[in-house]
Amino acid sequence: DSGNISGTTFEQIAEDYIKHIEKLVLISNRSPKKVAIQAQVIRGILVPYFGTKDPCAIDYNLLTDFMADRKEKPELWGERLCYNNKGVIKHAKRRPVADTTIRDNVSLIIRICRFGAGYVKKQRVNTEAPYELHELKCIGLEFEQVDYKTKRKQITDEEYAALMEFAQPHTQRFIFLSYRMGLRPGPMEISDIRWSDWDMSDDNFGLMVNSAKRKANQAKHRFVPLLDEEDRKIVKEWYLADGRKDSKRMVTYYGRRVKVYKTGFDKTWERAKKKYGFTRDVHPYLLRHGFGMALKAMNVPSTIGAEIMGHSVEVFEKLYGHVTVSYTHLTLPTIILPCRSRWSPYH
């Protein structure tokens, strides 16, 4: 087998892959929404770029060129449309494609090629695959790893104060939870927090979080302590403002559950930049990374830091292992001791 598939193109295999994942929705717990988004990415981005190419010819150089084009040539990918609150189509502001998005695209390309060759995970189990792809060059490739020392630049206390000054009330709470407690800045962890999830006793003040992105062997919930007295006062004031209703969600917009936080964050940051002269662009995840850096800089044990952040110890060390005391910018104690909450995983 020479790897030449005589007429079979990436587009053909991609369409078969879409049909395959659409079938999985019917027979498994695969999310229909995620499948629809994946199909849109395949048809809108990958097929126009790789459609006529031989899957066996997709190698390191071709994928590297694709990654560079995704990053540096936004004109290749068309206009991104969105709808405003009146249902009117408008052009979204063009932003650079994130590195993680590009890597997800590359992973999807490789998965499609594996599917055509009959692979399940890393083993070729289907010897009667519809396409004879015996020499896939894209399998086993390794790309340059993200340099977390330069990528993870936390939001400073000055930037945090400016954000809180211009943010709307619901955005303030979102920023606070990400920056001061390290919650993931999105709907998966923040949107469903209710006041009943808080323990406001003096010795055990903290929040029980429904952990997103947890592994099968990890606990469903994690306890995040809130140790700064000023931060505790802020939370108590919000609780009183919400009428002490334990069943009420902590972050709402006119009584409704908030699903999108980035839009409010971006508008807030633009206002802060105009007033205070900030020059860099930031994104919400830097709020959480600043908290993780502070934990490491304060010599918090990796096992406890990983538990608070919702990571494994290995991932926590990979993300924050380079941090030194010079990164410190949050008001945290030198050591965070195991919490004695009624929910605490450290009992």
Side-chain angles (χ1 to χ4, degrees):
D1 293 326
S2 63
N4 187 348
I5 52 176
S6 62
T8 302
T9 64
F10 179 85
E11 182 176 9
Q12 292 174 296
I13 300 176
E15 287 297 328
D16 285 347
Y17 180 80
I18 292 173
K19 294 177 183 177
H20 169 69
I21 60 178
E22 287 175 344
K23 288 180 182 178
L24 292 180
V25 173
L26 303 176
I27 61 176
S28 69
N29 60 352
R30 184 72 67 93
S31 167
K33 183 178 180 180
K34 289 183 178 180
V35 168
I37 293 173
Q38 201 171 70
Q40 186 178 4
V41 170
I42 293 171
R43 291 179 174 137
I45 295 176
L46 306 187
V47 168
Y49 197 94
F50 294 99
T52 59
K53 290 183 170 57
D54 181 339
C56 289
I58 298 177
D59 57 7
Y60 180 86
N61 293 330
L62 195 58
L63 290 174
T64 303
D65 291 342
F66 167 77
M67 294 169 72
D69 288 343
R70 282 288 278 150
K71 189 72 175 178
E72 301 168 7
K73 299 180 180 179
E75 67 275 6
L76 294 178
W77 315 108
E79 292 287 348
R80 185 166 62 89
L81 301 179
C82 63
Y83 294 84
N84 62 16
N85 55 5
K86 296 181 180 179
V88 178
I89 296 178
K90 63 177 182 178
H91 291 283
K93 180 180 178 182
R94 192 189 299 277
R95 298 186 180 89
V97 181
D99 291 337
T100 52
T101 301
I102 296 174
R103 289 177 182 275
D104 286 344
N105 293 163
V106 171
S107 296
L108 183 54
I109 294 166
I110 296 173
R111 282 205 303 276
I112 291 171
C113 293
R114 287 177 183 274
F115 168 78
Y119 279 81
V120 175
K121 295 185 177 179
K122 295 185 178 181
Q123 299 296 323
R124 190 176 186 194
V125 296
N126 184 3
T127 57
E128 299 180 358
Y131 306 103
E132 295 183 2
L133 309 178
H134 299 314
E135 296 182 4
L136 289 177
K137 298 177 183 178
C138 61
I139 292 180
L141 296 180
E142 294 184 3
F143 295 90
E144 183 180 356
Q145 296 297 311
V146 175
D147 184 0
Y148 293 104
K149 294 182 181 180
T150 58
K151 286 288 183 183
R152 309 302 187 195
K153 295 183 178 179
Q154 76 277 19
I155 288 177
T156 64
D157 279 340
E158 292 77 15
E159 292 169 337
Y160 169 71
L163 285 167
M164 294 294 280
E165 177 182 344
F166 288 99
Q168 293 187 9
H170 72 286
T171 306
Q172 280 185 338
R173 298 187 183 191
F174 148 70
I175 292 171
F176 175 89
L177 290 170
S178 292
Y179 186 74
R180 303 300 293 182
M181 303 187 73
L183 271 62
R184 289 183 172 90
M188 297 179 71
E189 288 190 353
I190 293 179
S191 291
D192 289 330
I193 292 176
R194 299 179 186 272
W195 286 111
S196 57
D197 297 327
W198 282 90
D199 183 347
M200 296 193 189
S201 58
D202 291 338
D203 296 333
N204 308 308
F205 206 109
L207 172 65
M208 196 65 179
V209 183
N210 184 12
S211 293
K213 298 186 179 180
R214 63 182 181 275
K215 303 297 182 183
N217 60 344
Q218 290 180 316
K220 183 177 180 181
H221 299 89
R222 71 180 192 274
F223 184 78
V224 182
L226 186 61
L227 302 158
D228 186 75
E229 289 298 330
E230 292 299 320
D231 288 344
R232 292 182 178 187
K233 289 179 182 178
I234 292 174
V235 171
K236 290 178 180 178
E237 289 173 2
W238 284 338
Y239 182 50
L240 292 173
D242 286 354
R244 297 175 177 265
K245 296 180 180 178
D246 289 344
S247 61
K248 181 180 175 66
R249 285 192 173 94
M250 183 180 178
V251 184
T252 59
Y253 183 69
Y254 289 104
R256 299 193 300 271
R257 182 177 183 267
V258 181
K259 296 181 180 180
V260 179
Y261 294 93
K262 192 175 188 306
T263 302
F265 179 88
D266 289 342
K267 290 180 179 178
T268 301
W269 181 244
E270 289 301 321
R271 297 188 191 103
K273 283 173 69 176
K274 288 180 181 179
K275 179 173 180 179
Y276 293 105
F278 299 127
T279 57
R280 68 170 181 153
D281 291 324
V282 299
H283 55 86
Y285 229 87
L286 292 181
L287 298 165
R288 171 174 162 84
H289 286 310
F291 184 83
M293 287 179 174
L295 290 177
K296 189 65 177 178
M298 290 292 188
N299 295 320
V300 174
S302 295
T303 52
I304 297 178
E307 185 69 43
I308 291 173
M309 295 292 289
H311 286 313
S312 65
V313 175
E314 292 76 14
V315 171
F316 183 79
E317 284 294 331
K318 178 182 177 180
L319 292 175
Y320 308 114
H322 64 281
V323 175
T324 61
V325 176
S326 62
Y327 282 80
T328 304
H329 65 287
L330 293 182
T331 306
L332 292 173
T334 302
I335 294 293
I336 294 183
L337 296 176
C339 307
R340 300 301 179 192
S341 168
R342 55 193 170 100
W343 300 301
S344 174
Y346 308 116
H347 267 323

